[in-house]
Amino acid sequence: MPSSAVAAGMSRGFNQLLDAVVRIDVREIGFEAGARRYTASIGSGVLLSPDGIVLTNAHVASPRAVELNITLSNLERVGAKLVGWDHWTDLAVLRIDMAEVKRRGFKLSSAKFGDSTKLYPGQEVYAVGTPHGLTRTVTRGIVSNQNRYFEDNRGIGGYETGTFNTWLQTDAAINPGNSGGPLVTEDGRVIGISSRGYMGANNLGFAIPASTAKDVMERLVRDGTIVRSYVGLVPGALQDLENFYSLELNTGVLVNSVDPGSPAAKAGLRGGDIVLSIEGAKVDGRFPEQLPPIQNLIASQPVGATLRFLVKRGADTKPYAIVTEKLESRVGEEWALEKWGLSVRKVSRAFARENQLDDTTGVVVIGVQPGFPAEASGVSRGDVITKINQQPITSLDVIKAAHATYEAKPAPTLLETQRNRRVSLYILKP
């Protein structure tokens, strides 16, 4: 094909892509330092269907958002709603207010996904978005690595991210505000969603592959949420350990640890075991990059399903049956009890297991405001409030109701807290 034809094709594809890239202005509520606080931020997104579906990052648009506005390529602004979000992959789906679009006579352009599985190091790519508020900025780079693994999967605000996928690495400039924008090939096909830059370094940007993004988007549009399974295994790479376990290369995955009280722990698995197969399919976790697909294999099974694991322990190999549970984040629902100057987060099952709590009763203190009753009584960040006026806190509604009673008629309130398995009592005084 003549070079002029290639350029023309690239221009058409890119123009359509540019028209599909949007700016996202977010106003969200947070519960920090004992009070509700509203913050504003800017991110990017890409229209991927004619009916107003926008794909972006979960850390751009979360359930905390109280207002979402989309700036289109014609510079006009329209409202949007959150369809669903998935912090595990750092992806969220918004839907533009189509009634407003039709009323104002706008036309929407939409982009198309490319095949991220065919990318190769050195391939030219472009990051499009709103870095530092500079709308529709295009930066050029290459694919630096098409299968990058991050060991630390704690994302924004403590939410887990990246457990089930690897990342595309690029040297195309990705700055604050690029988050949620598309990473595209020269024909304008979306092969990734920009997510993060490496702090303190240049030319190190990362995107969620289109193979992951397309699946997550479709499931969020269909169901509004994604349900995954959990067994409680923390995997580790076997590289350089095969000789110690008398294993052939590319055989099995190491169990680094097992979450206390998890289905895997109840079934009898423990750290140091080697999982050879899951549901009869052999697994290969020799390298770190191979761990997310194995975790995704487990997470993709139905909740409550019984999975067959073939496990090697020492010289013995035996099967284990593990019943899956619903995967939950360690980060529970948050709230601010402003008359007490107290911000709290509901204890989740994952948090309880991580901190060796007996159950999910209680709320974790995530902020205390100076000069308010909670701070004056001695309550501090990290305490787990298990009872209020001797009533177990089985849900946020329990402590919300007690706070509402205090607002109507202030009276001394007794809190029972736990820290490092030590129980303390505090009185909140008006």
Side-chain angles (χ1 to χ4, degrees):
M1 182 181 291
S3 60
S4 59
V6 174
M10 179 178 175
S11 176
R12 285 194 299 271
F14 240 91
N15 283 339
Q16 184 174 353
L17 180 279
L18 287 174
D19 287 343
V21 176
V22 300
R23 165 176 166 154
I24 304 174
D25 286 84
V26 184
R27 185 167 176 261
E28 68 176 15
I29 188 171
F31 304 99
E32 298 178 2
R36 303 183 196 191
R37 302 190 186 279
Y38 292 90
T39 58
S41 61
I42 298 171
S44 304
V46 58
L47 274 157
L48 282 161
S49 76
D51 60 346
I53 290 297
V54 174
L55 185 61
T56 186
N57 284 149
H59 75 259
V60 170
S62 76
R64 293 179 179 179
V66 294
E67 185 178 353
L68 291 164
N69 286 297
I70 301 288
T71 302
L72 303 170
S73 61
N74 61 4
L75 306 184
E76 296 284 358
R77 179 179 289 191
V78 295
K81 298 291 185 183
L82 181 68
V83 174
W85 81 309
D86 181 46
H87 65 82
W88 298 97
T89 54
D90 194 17
L91 292 167
V93 172
L94 313 180
R95 188 185 294 276
I96 290 175
D97 185 343
M98 292 302 292
E100 182 179 356
V101 169
K102 292 177 181 177
R103 185 175 66 251
R104 297 170 67 182
F106 299 150
K107 292 184 178 180
L108 300 182
S109 293
S110 57
K112 296 181 179 179
F113 281 112
D115 189 350
S116 60
T117 65
K118 295 182 178 179
L119 296 174
Y120 55 88
Q123 183 173 352
E124 195 167 69
V125 290
Y126 302 82
V128 190
T130 312
H132 298 288
L134 302 174
T135 306
R136 300 177 76 206
T137 294
V138 180
T139 58
R140 183 177 64 179
I142 61 171
V143 175
S144 304
N145 186 293
Q146 77 277 36
N147 197 30
R148 179 62 64 199
Y149 172 76
F150 289 114
E151 186 172 359
D152 182 7
N153 65 3
R154 290 286 170 86
I156 304 299
Y159 283 100
E160 306 87 343
T161 299
T163 302
F164 307 114
N165 62 276
T166 54
W167 304 77
L168 302 178
Q169 180 183 330
T170 179
D171 67 351
I174 293 178
N175 292 286
N178 269 114
S179 292
L183 186 70
V184 303
T185 48
E186 64 180 9
D187 59 357
R189 294 276 180 162
V190 177
I191 46 83
I193 299 296
S194 300
S195 179
R196 61 175 75 176
Y198 205 88
M199 297 296 292
N202 295 320
N203 305 323
L204 289 176
F206 302 92
I208 302 117
S211 56
T212 297
K214 185 174 186 291
D215 175 65
V216 169
M217 184 188 79
E218 291 173 349
R219 294 169 69 184
L220 287 176
V221 170
R222 184 183 67 231
D223 304 323
T225 188
I226 294 179
V227 177
R228 294 186 176 90
S229 281
Y230 160 88
V231 297
L233 293 181
V234 180
L238 269 170
Q239 187 178 15
D240 300 327
L241 295 173
E242 290 92 348
N243 289 339
F244 295 98
Y245 287 94
S246 301
L247 288 170
E248 295 182 2
L249 295 180
N250 306 312
T251 301
V253 61
L254 174 67
V255 177
N256 250 353
S257 62
V258 178
D259 294 341
S262 67
K266 293 174 183 176
L269 269 68
R270 63 191 189 205
D273 286 343
I274 305 295
V275 176
L276 300 176
S277 69
I278 301 173
E279 284 295 285
K282 293 182 179 180
V283 292
D284 176 8
R286 186 182 183 200
F287 302 111
E289 292 81 3
Q290 295 173 299
L291 300 182
I294 295 172
Q295 291 175 288
N296 193 45
L297 171 65
I298 297 170
S300 299
Q301 305 301 317
V303 175
T306 300
L307 303 184
R308 295 172 294 126
F309 285 69
L310 185 63
V311 177
K312 184 178 187 295
R313 179 181 298 166
D316 299 327
T317 298
K318 62 177 288 190
Y320 288 81
I322 304 178
V323 180
T324 66
E325 291 181 357
K326 181 181 177 182
L327 176 69
E328 295 181 2
S329 172
R330 67 185 302 276
V331 181
E333 185 183 356
E334 298 177 356
W335 198 255
L337 307 159
E338 294 180 290
K339 290 295 183 180
W340 294 332
L342 193 62
S343 299
V344 297
R345 174 186 294 156
K346 184 69 182 76
V347 171
S348 68
R349 186 169 55 193
F351 181 90
R353 285 172 172 162
E354 185 179 295
N355 292 272
Q356 298 183 339
L357 303 178
D358 293 334
D359 52 37
T360 60
T361 299
V363 293
V364 186
V365 176
I366 59 174
V368 178
Q369 192 164 348
F372 279 69
E375 190 263 348
S377 72
V379 175
S380 60
R381 183 183 176 91
D383 287 340
V384 178
I385 305 173
T386 54
K387 294 181 181 180
I388 184 162
N389 290 331
Q390 299 183 312
Q391 181 182 0
I393 302 175
T394 54
S395 69
L396 270 182
D397 290 339
V398 173
I399 198 166
K400 284 182 184 180
H403 183 255
T405 300
Y406 183 95
E407 284 184 302
K409 186 177 181 181
T413 302
L414 178 66
L415 302 182
E416 183 175 312
T417 72
Q418 182 174 314
R419 180 189 284 266
N420 297 327
R421 308 194 72 82
R422 177 180 176 182
V423 175
S424 300
L425 299 175
Y426 300 99
I427 299 177
L428 305 180
K429 298 179 180 179

